[in-house]
């Protein structure tokens, strides 16, 4: 979605500086939004869309399966190992979270 904002802005010949003036959003923040480096609030995206003269359409987020989560976890552990960083003790981390009142039910289910 953020990529489309940038493409629309460029197609309309609007600079980040001009879009900043139209929306009241600081230029560095607009740049980060367009780069997808931050998750912008709906109201912020609506201001940008209004300034660009386009309709804001929000679609459903993609569904992430348990297999996707496990694959991401394995990839993260692999990348840590490549940099010589040992994987964290998962049980210890979950106990730490629980001691602070965090519900770890979903994480525990994912580890089954």
């Amino acid at each position: 979605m953020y990529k489309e904002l940038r493409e629309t802005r460029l197609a309309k010949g609007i600079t980040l500086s001009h879009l900043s003036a139209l929306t009241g959003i600081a230029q560095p923040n607009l740049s980060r939004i367009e780069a997808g480096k931050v998750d912008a609030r709906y109201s912020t995206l609506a201001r940008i869309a209004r300034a660009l003269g386009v309709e804001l359409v929000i679609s459903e987020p993609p569904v992430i399966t348990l297999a996707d989560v496990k694959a991401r976890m394995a990839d993260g552990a692999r990348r840590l190992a490549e940099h010589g960083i040992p994987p964290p003790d998962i049980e210890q981390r979950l106990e730490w979270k629980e001691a602070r009142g965090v519900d770890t039910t979903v994480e525990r289910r994912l580890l089954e």
Side-chain angles (χ1 to χ4, degrees):
M1 169 179 34
Y2 300 121
K3 180 181 169 187
E4 288 86 354
L5 288 174
R6 182 176 194 276
E7 290 170 353
T8 301
R9 177 181 61 77
L10 292 174
K12 291 183 176 265
I14 298 174
T15 65
L16 274 177
S17 178
H18 186 215
L19 185 58
S20 176
L22 292 170
T23 61
I25 301 168
Q27 187 174 332
N29 292 344
L30 288 170
S31 180
R32 284 191 289 275
I33 290 168
E34 286 186 353
K37 293 182 179 178
V38 295
D39 285 328
R41 293 180 355 191
Y42 178 84
S43 59
T44 301
L45 295 174
R47 284 167 51 194
I48 295 169
R50 214 173 10 260
L52 293 174
V54 296
E55 180 182 357
L56 179 61
V57 177
I58 305 292
S59 60
E60 287 289 322
V63 175
I64 299 175
T65 65
L66 178 57
D68 293 335
V69 172
K70 286 183 176 181
R72 289 180 185 185
M73 288 173 64
D75 185 52
R78 181 190 52 76
R79 288 189 318 219
L80 288 172
E82 286 174 357
H83 290 66
I85 302 168
D89 181 333
I90 294 171
E91 187 61 37
Q92 185 179 20
R93 180 179 55 80
L94 292 176
E95 288 173 4
W96 180 85
K97 287 174 120 180
E98 289 167 348
R100 283 153 186 78
V102 177
D103 182 5
T104 60
T105 306
V106 172
E107 288 174 276
R108 289 198 180 277
R109 247 187 270 140
L110 291 173
L111 294 171
E112 292 175 354

